[in-house]
Amino acid sequence: MLTEIVLNTHEWNTVRDFIYQTTGLYFSDDKKSYIQKRLKIAMDNLGIADFWGYLKKLETDKNVFNRLLELITTNETYFFRDLAQLDMFSKDVLPELLNRKAAQKGDFRLKIWSAGCSTGEEPYTIAIILKERLEYFDDWDIEILGSDISERVLKFAQEAVYMPRSLKDVPEYIRLKYFEYNPSQKVYKLKDKIKRLVTFRYLNLYDEHKMRLMRNYDVIFCRNVLIYFDEESRRKVVEYFYDALNPGGYIFLGHSESILRITKAFEIVYFENNIAFRKPIA
C-alpha cells in the first residue's frame, strides 16, 4: 500500500482536468489534498502504485472511473430534505402545474426528474408527496426518474432499504404508511406501492448526447449537485435542463444555489409565501 500520494503540478492538473472534462465536476487547488487522499484509497484498492498507470486505467475502464467518482463526491441525503422547498412544491407548484395541464390541454401526464438522486431518498420523497396530495392519483400517468453518475448509489436506491437516519425528518404517519421496519436489522424498507413509482438510470449530466435525449419533463429537481460544478459547467447543465423541460415546467435547485446567477432564461413565479422558477409558458 502507498504511504501517501503527493501529486506534482503536472499530475494534479492532468487528473483534475480529466475529471472536469468528463463530468463537469471542478476541483480548485485548495481541494488538492482532498483528492490526493481519495486517489490513494482508489489506487490501494487496485494495488497500483504508479500514478500514470492508474490514470491510464481511469481513462479506459468505466468501473475504475466510477469508483473514483464515488470516493470524491458526497452522497449523504435523507427523506424530506429541505422541507420548506418540498412544501412549496406540494402546496403551490403542484396544484398550479396540474390544473394548467388538465385545463389547457387535457394533459394528464406528469414527468418529474430527480437529477443527482444519490441513494433515492429524493425521488421517493416526491413519489410519497404525489401519493398524498393527488386526490385522483390513478387518473394521472406519472413518471418519476432518478438519475445519478454513481452506479453504486443507484443500486442502493433500487433496493430501497434505509437506515433510521435517512428517515429522521419523516413524519410518523408517513413512516408507518409507506415503510416496513425490520427490527432485527434495524432498517426501514420502502413499500412497493411507492418503490414502483420511481425508475432509476445512470446519467452523466455533462454528457451532451445523453442530456439532449432528456425531454418533456414538467419538474426537475437538481438539489445540492451543481455545487460541484464551476460556472461554465453549471451554465451548460442548466441549459440542458431548460431544454428538457416542457414550457411552464419548474426547476428546483439546492438551498445555497441560485438559478439567477446561472441564467436569466427562467421566469419567477410568485406564490403567497414563496417564489419558484419556471420555463416560460409558450
Side-chain angles (χ1 to χ4, degrees), residues 1-254:
M1 294 178 63
L2 299 170
T3 55
E4 64 177 330
I5 293 178
V6 180
L7 303 177
N8 62 40
T9 300
H10 178 51
E11 291 169 338
W12 165 241
N13 288 336
T14 299
V15 70
R16 176 177 65 177
D17 291 349
F18 174 70
I19 294 170
Y20 176 70
Q21 291 164 8
T22 308
T23 66
L25 303 178
Y26 179 75
F27 294 93
S28 55
D29 287 337
D30 62 351
K31 297 292 185 182
K32 182 179 177 181
S33 176
Y34 171 84
I35 297 298
Q36 286 177 162
K37 292 176 182 177
R38 276 139 187 84
L39 278 173
K40 178 188 181 306
I41 296 171
M43 292 170 67
D44 282 345
N45 287 341
L46 291 174
I48 297 175
D50 174 61
F51 169 78
W52 294 104
Y54 173 72
L55 185 64
K56 184 176 181 180
K57 277 192 169 292
L58 201 63
E59 294 173 339
T60 58
D61 190 324
K62 180 182 176 182
N63 291 328
V64 171
F65 184 61
N66 285 340
R67 283 195 285 270
L68 178 62
L69 288 180
E70 290 164 3
L71 287 169
I72 65 178
T73 55
T74 303
N75 294 308
E76 183 179 2
T77 185
Y78 45 89
F79 285 90
F80 290 88
R81 185 176 186 179
D82 195 348
L83 189 56
Q85 191 179 67
L86 292 173
D87 201 46
M88 176 176 65
F89 165 71
S90 173
K91 296 178 180 178
D92 297 321
V93 168
L94 197 57
E96 189 281 326
L97 176 63
L98 297 182
N99 289 336
R100 172 163 44 85
K101 286 173 68 73
Q104 291 183 354
K105 299 180 180 179
D107 183 0
F108 291 89
R109 294 170 297 173
L110 182 66
K111 289 183 66 175
I112 299 177
W113 175 14
S114 170
C117 69
S118 188
T119 45
E121 286 92 332
E122 180 176 84
Y124 286 138
T125 295
I126 294 166
I128 290 171
I129 290 172
L130 292 177
K131 197 72 172 174
E132 288 289 299
R133 293 289 297 179
L134 280 181
E135 183 178 358
Y136 302 104
F137 182 91
D138 293 334
D139 294 338
W140 285 82
D141 180 10
I142 296 173
E143 177 182 327
I144 304 172
L145 172 68
S147 73
D148 203 276
I149 199 171
S150 168
E151 293 179 338
R152 181 185 64 83
V153 299
L154 289 173
K155 182 179 179 181
F156 190 102
Q158 289 168 332
E159 292 173 352
V161 177
Y162 296 94
M163 299 295 290
R165 65 177 178 270
S166 292
L167 281 75
K168 65 186 183 67
D169 289 341
V170 176
E172 184 177 5
Y173 81 95
I174 292 291
R175 189 169 64 248
L176 293 172
K177 189 173 181 179
Y178 296 112
F179 294 86
E180 295 176 349
Y181 182 64
N182 184 323
S184 62
Q185 298 180 353
K186 298 182 180 179
V187 295
Y188 288 90
K189 181 178 180 180
L190 189 68
K191 292 184 178 180
D192 286 343
K193 62 182 176 182
I194 294 298
K195 186 178 176 182
R196 64 172 173 257
L197 297 176
V198 182
T199 57
F200 293 95
R201 182 189 309 170
Y202 172 88
L203 181 63
N204 181 347
L205 299 181
Y206 214 59
D207 185 330
E208 181 174 1
H209 174 68
K210 294 291 179 61
M211 290 293 281
R212 293 296 183 193
L213 299 176
M214 306 297 287
R215 288 294 183 268
N216 303 123
Y217 285 91
D218 298 297
V219 183
I220 295 175
F221 286 84
C222 185
R223 304 192 298 172
N224 306 301
V225 175
L226 297 182
I227 55 175
Y228 294 104
F229 291 69
D230 70 349
E231 184 176 348
E232 180 181 348
S233 52
R234 272 196 297 267
R235 188 180 301 111
K236 182 177 180 180
V237 171
V238 169
E239 286 176 0
Y240 294 149
F241 288 153
Y242 184 88
D243 292 340
L245 282 168
N246 287 324
Y250 289 84
I251 186 167
F252 290 92
L253 301 184

